[in-house]
PDB file of all heavy atoms in Angstrom:
ATOM      1  N   ARG A 279      -3.544  -3.368   3.671  1.00  0.00           N
ATOM      2  CA  ARG A 279      -2.282  -3.009   3.079  1.00  0.00           C
ATOM      3  C   ARG A 279      -2.166  -3.656   1.676  1.00  0.00           C
ATOM      4  O   ARG A 279      -1.173  -4.405   1.345  1.00  0.00           O
ATOM      5  CB  ARG A 279      -1.110  -3.610   3.886  1.00  0.00           C
ATOM      6  CG  ARG A 279      -1.044  -2.968   5.293  1.00  0.00           C
ATOM      7  CD  ARG A 279       0.020  -3.485   6.138  1.00  0.00           C
ATOM      8  NE  ARG A 279      -0.148  -3.036   7.509  1.00  0.00           N
ATOM      9  CZ  ARG A 279       0.699  -3.434   8.494  1.00  0.00           C
ATOM     10  NH1 ARG A 279       1.737  -4.301   8.227  1.00  0.00           N
ATOM     11  NH2 ARG A 279       0.546  -2.940   9.754  1.00  0.00           N
ATOM     12  N   ASN A 280      -3.214  -3.357   0.768  1.00  0.00           N
ATOM     13  CA  ASN A 280      -3.219  -3.958  -0.518  1.00  0.00           C
ATOM     14  C   ASN A 280      -2.910  -3.001  -1.651  1.00  0.00           C
ATOM     15  O   ASN A 280      -3.081  -3.367  -2.802  1.00  0.00           O
ATOM     16  CB  ASN A 280      -4.575  -4.597  -0.736  1.00  0.00           C
ATOM     17  CG  ASN A 280      -4.535  -5.748  -1.853  1.00  0.00           C
ATOM     18  OD1 ASN A 280      -3.418  -6.314  -2.073  1.00  0.00           O
ATOM     19  ND2 ASN A 280      -5.641  -6.035  -2.465  1.00  0.00           N
ATOM     20  N   TYR A 281      -2.474  -1.801  -1.332  1.00  0.00           N
ATOM     21  CA  TYR A 281      -1.956  -0.840  -2.292  1.00  0.00           C
ATOM     22  C   TYR A 281      -0.522  -0.426  -1.850  1.00  0.00           C
ATOM     23  O   TYR A 281      -0.340  -0.206  -0.591  1.00  0.00           O
ATOM     24  CB  TYR A 281      -2.748   0.430  -2.374  1.00  0.00           C
ATOM     25  CG  TYR A 281      -4.008   0.292  -3.229  1.00  0.00           C
ATOM     26  CD1 TYR A 281      -5.241  -0.077  -2.629  1.00  0.00           C
ATOM     27  CD2 TYR A 281      -4.034   0.532  -4.592  1.00  0.00           C
ATOM     28  CE1 TYR A 281      -6.406  -0.169  -3.316  1.00  0.00           C
ATOM     29  CE2 TYR A 281      -5.222   0.400  -5.340  1.00  0.00           C
ATOM     30  CZ  TYR A 281      -6.410   0.098  -4.647  1.00  0.00           C
ATOM     31  OH  TYR A 281      -7.599  -0.014  -5.410  1.00  0.00           O
ATOM     32  N   ARG A 282       0.492  -0.306  -2.682  1.00  0.00           N
ATOM     33  CA  ARG A 282       1.743   0.117  -2.295  1.00  0.00           C
ATOM     34  C   ARG A 282       1.704   1.434  -1.665  1.00  0.00           C
ATOM     35  O   ARG A 282       2.466   1.780  -0.706  1.00  0.00           O
ATOM     36  CB  ARG A 282       2.675   0.057  -3.507  1.00  0.00           C
ATOM     37  CG  ARG A 282       4.169   0.267  -3.178  1.00  0.00           C
ATOM     38  CD  ARG A 282       5.069  -0.022  -4.385  1.00  0.00           C
ATOM     39  NE  ARG A 282       4.723  -1.334  -5.019  1.00  0.00           N
ATOM     40  CZ  ARG A 282       5.254  -2.483  -4.412  1.00  0.00           C
ATOM     41  NH1 ARG A 282       5.958  -2.454  -3.387  1.00  0.00           N
ATOM     42  NH2 ARG A 282       4.913  -3.687  -5.054  1.00  0.00           N
ATOM     43  N   SER A 283       0.760   2.332  -2.139  1.00  0.00           N
ATOM     44  CA  SER A 283       0.702   3.723  -1.549  1.00  0.00           C
ATOM     45  C   SER A 283       0.201   3.728  -0.224  1.00  0.00           C
ATOM     46  O   SER A 283       0.270   4.810   0.432  1.00  0.00           O
ATOM     47  CB  SER A 283      -0.277   4.508  -2.506  1.00  0.00           C
ATOM     48  OG  SER A 283      -1.583   3.987  -2.573  1.00  0.00           O
ATOM     49  N   HIS A 284      -0.300   2.582   0.291  1.00  0.00           N
ATOM     50  CA  HIS A 284      -0.929   2.593   1.683  1.00  0.00           C
ATOM     51  C   HIS A 284       0.019   1.830   2.647  1.00  0.00           C
ATOM     52  O   HIS A 284      -0.315   1.718   3.851  1.00  0.00           O
ATOM     53  CB  HIS A 284      -2.244   1.821   1.721  1.00  0.00           C
ATOM     54  CG  HIS A 284      -2.966   2.032   2.897  1.00  0.00           C
ATOM     55  ND1 HIS A 284      -3.482   3.134   3.447  1.00  0.00           N
ATOM     56  CD2 HIS A 284      -3.433   1.041   3.817  1.00  0.00           C
ATOM     57  CE1 HIS A 284      -4.070   3.018   4.529  1.00  0.00           C
ATOM     58  NE2 HIS A 284      -4.138   1.640   4.827  1.00  0.00           N
ATOM     59  N   LEU A 285       1.155   1.376   2.190  1.00  0.00           N
ATOM     60  CA  LEU A 285       2.057   0.664   3.047  1.00  0.00           C
ATOM     61  C   LEU A 285       2.810   1.522   3.998  1.00  0.00           C
ATOM     62  O   LEU A 285       3.210   0.994   5.125  1.00  0.00           O
ATOM     63  CB  LEU A 285       3.140  -0.114   2.180  1.00  0.00           C
ATOM     64  CG  LEU A 285       2.636  -1.288   1.304  1.00  0.00           C
ATOM     65  CD1 LEU A 285       3.727  -1.869   0.553  1.00  0.00           C
ATOM     66  CD2 LEU A 285       1.982  -2.314   2.183  1.00  0.00           C
ATOM     67  N   GLY A 286       3.024   2.725   3.670  1.00  0.00           N
ATOM     68  CA  GLY A 286       3.632   3.708   4.622  1.00  0.00           C
ATOM     69  C   GLY A 286       5.042   3.215   5.001  1.00  0.00           C
ATOM     70  O   GLY A 286       5.463   3.398   6.170  1.00  0.00           O
ATOM     71  N   GLY A 287       5.812   2.672   4.078  1.00  0.00           N
ATOM     72  CA  GLY A 287       7.113   2.287   4.302  1.00  0.00           C
ATOM     73  C   GLY A 287       7.230   0.815   4.855  1.00  0.00           C
ATOM     74  O   GLY A 287       8.396   0.326   5.050  1.00  0.00           O
ATOM     75  N   ARG A 288       6.130   0.233   5.155  1.00  0.00           N
ATOM     76  CA  ARG A 288       6.141  -1.212   5.686  1.00  0.00           C
ATOM     77  C   ARG A 288       6.359  -2.091   4.489  1.00  0.00           C
ATOM     78  O   ARG A 288       5.933  -1.760   3.288  1.00  0.00           O
ATOM     79  CB  ARG A 288       4.856  -1.505   6.345  1.00  0.00           C
ATOM     80  CG  ARG A 288       4.591  -0.581   7.621  1.00  0.00           C
ATOM     81  CD  ARG A 288       3.243  -0.757   8.174  1.00  0.00           C
ATOM     82  NE  ARG A 288       2.265  -0.139   7.215  1.00  0.00           N
ATOM     83  CZ  ARG A 288       1.015   0.331   7.587  1.00  0.00           C
ATOM     84  NH1 ARG A 288       0.626   0.178   8.722  1.00  0.00           N
ATOM     85  NH2 ARG A 288       0.262   0.864   6.627  1.00  0.00           N
ATOM     86  N   PRO A 289       6.897  -3.310   4.750  1.00  0.00           N
ATOM     87  CA  PRO A 289       7.096  -4.180   3.708  1.00  0.00           C
ATOM     88  C   PRO A 289       5.751  -4.755   3.109  1.00  0.00           C
ATOM     89  O   PRO A 289       4.754  -4.779   3.802  1.00  0.00           O
ATOM     90  CB  PRO A 289       7.897  -5.327   4.349  1.00  0.00           C
ATOM     91  CG  PRO A 289       7.589  -5.266   5.793  1.00  0.00           C
ATOM     92  CD  PRO A 289       7.360  -3.754   5.998  1.00  0.00           C
ATOM     93  N   GLN A 290       5.770  -5.112   1.850  1.00  0.00           N
ATOM     94  CA  GLN A 290       4.576  -5.752   1.290  1.00  0.00           C
ATOM     95  C   GLN A 290       4.263  -7.080   1.908  1.00  0.00           C
ATOM     96  O   GLN A 290       5.131  -7.857   2.093  1.00  0.00           O
ATOM     97  CB  GLN A 290       4.798  -5.912  -0.258  1.00  0.00           C
ATOM     98  CG  GLN A 290       3.656  -6.623  -0.961  1.00  0.00           C
ATOM     99  CD  GLN A 290       3.886  -6.687  -2.417  1.00  0.00           C
ATOM    100  OE1 GLN A 290       4.566  -5.994  -3.063  1.00  0.00           O
ATOM    101  NE2 GLN A 290       3.227  -7.786  -3.003  1.00  0.00           N
ATOM    102  N   PRO A 291       3.046  -7.285   2.321  1.00  0.00           N
ATOM    103  CA  PRO A 291       2.689  -8.552   2.893  1.00  0.00           C
ATOM    104  C   PRO A 291       3.014  -9.769   1.979  1.00  0.00           C
ATOM    105  O   PRO A 291       2.863  -9.628   0.755  1.00  0.00           O
ATOM    106  CB  PRO A 291       1.205  -8.449   3.149  1.00  0.00           C
ATOM    107  CG  PRO A 291       0.933  -6.976   3.181  1.00  0.00           C
ATOM    108  CD  PRO A 291       1.846  -6.422   2.197  1.00  0.00           C
ATOM    109  N   SER A 292       3.463 -10.855   2.551  1.00  0.00           N
ATOM    110  CA  SER A 292       3.795 -12.000   1.737  1.00  0.00           C
ATOM    111  C   SER A 292       2.524 -12.758   1.223  1.00  0.00           C
ATOM    112  O   SER A 292       2.649 -13.623   0.356  1.00  0.00           O
ATOM    113  CB  SER A 292       4.607 -12.952   2.534  1.00  0.00           C
ATOM    114  OG  SER A 292       3.873 -13.432   3.714  1.00  0.00           O
ATOM    115  N   GLU A 293       1.365 -12.480   1.810  1.00  0.00           N
ATOM    116  CA  GLU A 293       0.084 -12.953   1.308  1.00  0.00           C
ATOM    117  C   GLU A 293      -0.967 -11.959   1.717  1.00  0.00           C
ATOM    118  O   GLU A 293      -0.711 -11.123   2.571  1.00  0.00           O
ATOM    119  CB  GLU A 293      -0.103 -14.310   1.940  1.00  0.00           C
ATOM    120  CG  GLU A 293      -0.108 -14.458   3.420  1.00  0.00           C
ATOM    121  CD  GLU A 293      -0.109 -15.803   3.996  1.00  0.00           C
ATOM    122  OE1 GLU A 293       0.030 -16.759   3.204  1.00  0.00           O
ATOM    123  OE2 GLU A 293      -0.311 -15.947   5.172  1.00  0.00           O
ATOM    124  N   PRO A 294      -2.198 -12.089   1.144  1.00  0.00           N
ATOM    125  CA  PRO A 294      -3.249 -11.121   1.504  1.00  0.00           C
ATOM    126  C   PRO A 294      -3.522 -11.154   3.011  1.00  0.00           C
ATOM    127  O   PRO A 294      -3.689 -12.172   3.630  1.00  0.00           O
ATOM    128  CB  PRO A 294      -4.453 -11.645   0.735  1.00  0.00           C
ATOM    129  CG  PRO A 294      -3.905 -12.395  -0.421  1.00  0.00           C
ATOM    130  CD  PRO A 294      -2.646 -13.071   0.125  1.00  0.00           C
ATOM    131  N   GLY A 295      -3.572  -9.986   3.619  1.00  0.00           N
ATOM    132  CA  GLY A 295      -3.851  -9.852   5.033  1.00  0.00           C
ATOM    133  C   GLY A 295      -5.376  -9.697   5.317  1.00  0.00           C
ATOM    134  O   GLY A 295      -5.903  -8.701   4.879  1.00  0.00           O
ATOM    135  N   LEU A 296      -5.945 -10.661   5.928  1.00  0.00           N
ATOM    136  CA  LEU A 296      -7.424 -10.690   6.114  1.00  0.00           C
ATOM    137  C   LEU A 296      -7.822 -10.132   7.504  1.00  0.00           C
ATOM    138  O   LEU A 296      -7.147 -10.346   8.515  1.00  0.00           O
ATOM    139  CB  LEU A 296      -7.891 -12.111   5.948  1.00  0.00           C
ATOM    140  CG  LEU A 296      -7.547 -12.873   4.755  1.00  0.00           C
ATOM    141  CD1 LEU A 296      -8.219 -14.285   4.749  1.00  0.00           C
ATOM    142  CD2 LEU A 296      -7.870 -12.114   3.465  1.00  0.00           C
ATOM    143  N   PHE A 297      -8.917  -9.462   7.532  1.00  0.00           N
ATOM    144  CA  PHE A 297      -9.633  -9.183   8.833  1.00  0.00           C
ATOM    145  C   PHE A 297     -11.170  -9.159   8.483  1.00  0.00           C
ATOM    146  O   PHE A 297     -11.555  -9.130   7.335  1.00  0.00           O
ATOM    147  CB  PHE A 297      -9.192  -7.911   9.398  1.00  0.00           C
ATOM    148  CG  PHE A 297      -9.323  -6.638   8.545  1.00  0.00           C
ATOM    149  CD1 PHE A 297     -10.454  -5.864   8.705  1.00  0.00           C
ATOM    150  CD2 PHE A 297      -8.282  -6.181   7.699  1.00  0.00           C
ATOM    151  CE1 PHE A 297     -10.660  -4.668   7.898  1.00  0.00           C
ATOM    152  CE2 PHE A 297      -8.463  -5.041   6.955  1.00  0.00           C
ATOM    153  CZ  PHE A 297      -9.620  -4.248   7.030  1.00  0.00           C
ATOM    154  N   LEU A 298     -11.879  -9.041   9.545  1.00  0.00           N
ATOM    155  CA  LEU A 298     -13.302  -9.076   9.358  1.00  0.00           C
ATOM    156  C   LEU A 298     -14.051  -7.751   9.861  1.00  0.00           C
ATOM    157  O   LEU A 298     -13.520  -7.144  10.759  1.00  0.00           O
ATOM    158  CB  LEU A 298     -13.956 -10.206  10.202  1.00  0.00           C
ATOM    159  CG  LEU A 298     -13.384 -11.637   9.831  1.00  0.00           C
ATOM    160  CD1 LEU A 298     -14.074 -12.668  10.796  1.00  0.00           C
ATOM    161  CD2 LEU A 298     -13.784 -12.039   8.426  1.00  0.00           C
ATOM    162  N   LYS A 299     -15.163  -7.411   9.224  1.00  0.00           N
ATOM    163  CA  LYS A 299     -16.015  -6.412   9.684  1.00  0.00           C
ATOM    164  C   LYS A 299     -17.362  -7.164  10.044  1.00  0.00           C
ATOM    165  O   LYS A 299     -17.509  -8.405   9.667  1.00  0.00           O
ATOM    166  CB  LYS A 299     -16.219  -5.294   8.697  1.00  0.00           C
ATOM    167  CG  LYS A 299     -14.857  -4.534   8.419  1.00  0.00           C
ATOM    168  CD  LYS A 299     -15.134  -3.560   7.254  1.00  0.00           C
ATOM    169  CE  LYS A 299     -15.857  -2.306   7.695  1.00  0.00           C
ATOM    170  NZ  LYS A 299     -15.054  -1.389   8.532  1.00  0.00           N
ATOM    171  N   LEU A 300     -18.256  -6.471  10.645  1.00  0.00           N
ATOM    172  CA  LEU A 300     -19.482  -7.126  11.107  1.00  0.00           C
ATOM    173  C   LEU A 300     -20.665  -6.762  10.263  1.00  0.00           C
ATOM    174  O   LEU A 300     -20.790  -5.640   9.874  1.00  0.00           O
ATOM    175  CB  LEU A 300     -19.714  -6.831  12.593  1.00  0.00           C
ATOM    176  CG  LEU A 300     -18.724  -7.205  13.473  1.00  0.00           C
ATOM    177  CD1 LEU A 300     -19.051  -6.691  14.950  1.00  0.00           C
ATOM    178  CD2 LEU A 300     -18.488  -8.716  13.534  1.00  0.00           C
ATOM    179  N   PRO A 301     -21.570  -7.776   9.945  1.00  0.00           N
ATOM    180  CA  PRO A 301     -22.800  -7.407   9.111  1.00  0.00           C
ATOM    181  C   PRO A 301     -23.557  -6.327   9.692  1.00  0.00           C
ATOM    182  O   PRO A 301     -24.162  -5.506   8.939  1.00  0.00           O
ATOM    183  CB  PRO A 301     -23.553  -8.734   9.091  1.00  0.00           C
ATOM    184  CG  PRO A 301     -22.487  -9.816   9.248  1.00  0.00           C
ATOM    185  CD  PRO A 301     -21.469  -9.187  10.236  1.00  0.00           C
ATOM    186  N   THR A 302     -23.593  -6.129  11.060  1.00  0.00           N
ATOM    187  CA  THR A 302     -24.346  -5.111  11.655  1.00  0.00           C
ATOM    188  C   THR A 302     -23.735  -3.673  11.526  1.00  0.00           C
ATOM    189  O   THR A 302     -24.306  -2.605  11.834  1.00  0.00           O
ATOM    190  CB  THR A 302     -24.537  -5.352  13.169  1.00  0.00           C
ATOM    191  OG1 THR A 302     -23.220  -5.660  13.705  1.00  0.00           O
ATOM    192  CG2 THR A 302     -25.497  -6.470  13.407  1.00  0.00           C
ATOM    193  N   SER A 303     -22.504  -3.681  10.890  1.00  0.00           N
ATOM    194  CA  SER A 303     -21.859  -2.361  10.615  1.00  0.00           C
ATOM    195  C   SER A 303     -22.249  -1.795   9.305  1.00  0.00           C
ATOM    196  O   SER A 303     -21.880  -0.647   9.005  1.00  0.00           O
ATOM    197  CB  SER A 303     -20.394  -2.473  10.746  1.00  0.00           C
ATOM    198  OG  SER A 303     -19.824  -3.307   9.790  1.00  0.00           O
ATOM    199  N   VAL A 304     -23.004  -2.555   8.475  1.00  0.00           N
ATOM    200  CA  VAL A 304     -23.323  -2.162   7.132  1.00  0.00           C
ATOM    201  C   VAL A 304     -24.396  -1.071   7.047  1.00  0.00           C
ATOM    202  O   VAL A 304     -25.446  -1.162   7.776  1.00  0.00           O
ATOM    203  CB  VAL A 304     -23.789  -3.372   6.280  1.00  0.00           C
ATOM    204  CG1 VAL A 304     -24.412  -2.887   4.920  1.00  0.00           C
ATOM    205  CG2 VAL A 304     -22.667  -4.380   6.065  1.00  0.00           C
ATOM    206  N   ILE A 305     -24.175  -0.030   6.368  1.00  0.00           N
ATOM    207  CA  ILE A 305     -25.206   0.990   6.008  1.00  0.00           C
ATOM    208  C   ILE A 305     -25.213   1.266   4.582  1.00  0.00           C
ATOM    209  O   ILE A 305     -24.185   0.925   3.787  1.00  0.00           O
ATOM    210  CB  ILE A 305     -24.958   2.335   6.819  1.00  0.00           C
ATOM    211  CG1 ILE A 305     -23.540   2.905   6.551  1.00  0.00           C
ATOM    212  CG2 ILE A 305     -25.175   2.061   8.324  1.00  0.00           C
ATOM    213  CD1 ILE A 305     -23.314   4.296   7.226  1.00  0.00           C
TER     214      ILE A 305
END
């Protein structure tokens, strides 16, 4: 949720929202 256009009406996060992907998912 780091673009306003992607919030879909949700409030802007008060800080960057982090999540992880896995190195084995890289192509």
Side-chain angles (χ1 to χ4, degrees):
R279 302 178 187 175
N280 203 23
Y281 284 90
R282 192 168 305 281
S283 61
H284 191 63
L285 292 179
R288 295 166 294 199
Q290 178 178 333
S292 59
E293 56 189 13
L296 307 184
F297 61 90
L298 301 176
K299 297 174 77 74
L300 299 176
T302 48
S303 64
V304 171
I305 57 174

